[in-house]
Amino acid sequence: MAEIKDPENTFIMETTKGKVVIEAFPNVAPKHVDRIRELVREGAYDGVVFHRVIADFMAQGGDVEHGNKTSDKFNPGRAGTGASKKPDLPAEFSATRHVRGTCSMARSQNPNSANSQFFICFTDAPWLDKQYSVWGQVIEGMDAVDKFEKGEPVRNPDHIISMKVAADV
């Protein structure tokens, strides 16, 4: 098991393929880490699918509006187009690199449009550096992420069973 150094800034994500532990970087992207923590504590990510999973690139999920398969609002055709009801976040681009296991915010063409969706890199993706807000790193469970069903969109997507702040477990 991974060593949890800062329980308030560590997320434990149970997925259909296994447990994933993410160490957040509040010193790199404080507003984004706060948003993820807030949504986690609300249970917003529980049941949310990884709607876009591209081999040798990344797994994207976090659409709490259309991507929650346990909700009556679940719409597989619209998963990836929604967000939370909270305002979009200003970009927090940094020198932190996109490497295997990096957790970063998804966004539209507008750099200040990140909201609830995020992705986890399968491999190094230097072309994303300084273009997306990196907010954390997988410290345990990349083997589970590697097993996610691939597709764009994914036909039978894996999902987050539950996501918790380590301090609350």
Side-chain angles (χ1 to χ4, degrees), residues 41-78:
R41 286 200 162 123
E42 291 173 3
Y45 288 119
D46 298 356
V48 173
V49 300
F50 285 92
H51 62 273
R52 183 173 178 238
V53 183
I54 303 171
D56 298 321
F57 180 32
M58 59 89 216
Q60 182 175 334
D63 180 347
V64 302
E65 183 178 6
H66 303 297
N68 186 333
K69 69 184 301 173
T70 65
S71 166
D72 57 357
K73 293 182 181 178
F74 179 57
N75 185 335
R78 293 196 63 202

Side-chain angles (χ1 to χ4, degrees), residues 2 15 18 27 37-38 43 68 74 88 99 106 109 112 124-125 134 137 141 144 150 153 162:
T15 75
N27 57 328
R37 187 184 316 102
E38 184 179 11
N68 186 333
F74 179 57
D88 289 346
V99 297
Q109 296 272 28
N112 300 310
D124 294 359
V134 173
Q137 179 71 33
K150 311 294 188 280
S162 72

Side-chain angles (χ1 to χ4, degrees), residues 25 31 52 69 83-84 122 126 133-134 142-143 147 155:
F25 300 153
K31 290 180 175 78
R52 183 173 178 238
K69 69 184 301 173
S84 75
F122 288 123
S133 298
V134 173
M142 272 307 292
D143 57 326
K147 294 175 190 170
R155 284 188 204 204

Side-chain angles (χ1 to χ4, degrees), residues 12-18 20 22 36 40 43-51 60-64 67-70 116 118 120 135 148 157-164:
I12 301 170
M13 184 170 64
E14 292 292 342
T15 75
T16 46
K17 292 295 196 273
V20 179
I22 301 167
I36 297 287
V40 167
Y45 288 119
D46 298 356
V48 173
V49 300
F50 285 92
H51 62 273
Q60 182 175 334
D63 180 347
V64 302
N68 186 333
K69 69 184 301 173
T70 65
S116 66
F118 65 91
I120 302 171
W135 60 267
F148 288 173
D158 288 287
H159 67 277
I160 299 167
I161 296 167
S162 72
M163 194 163 168
K164 305 280 185 222

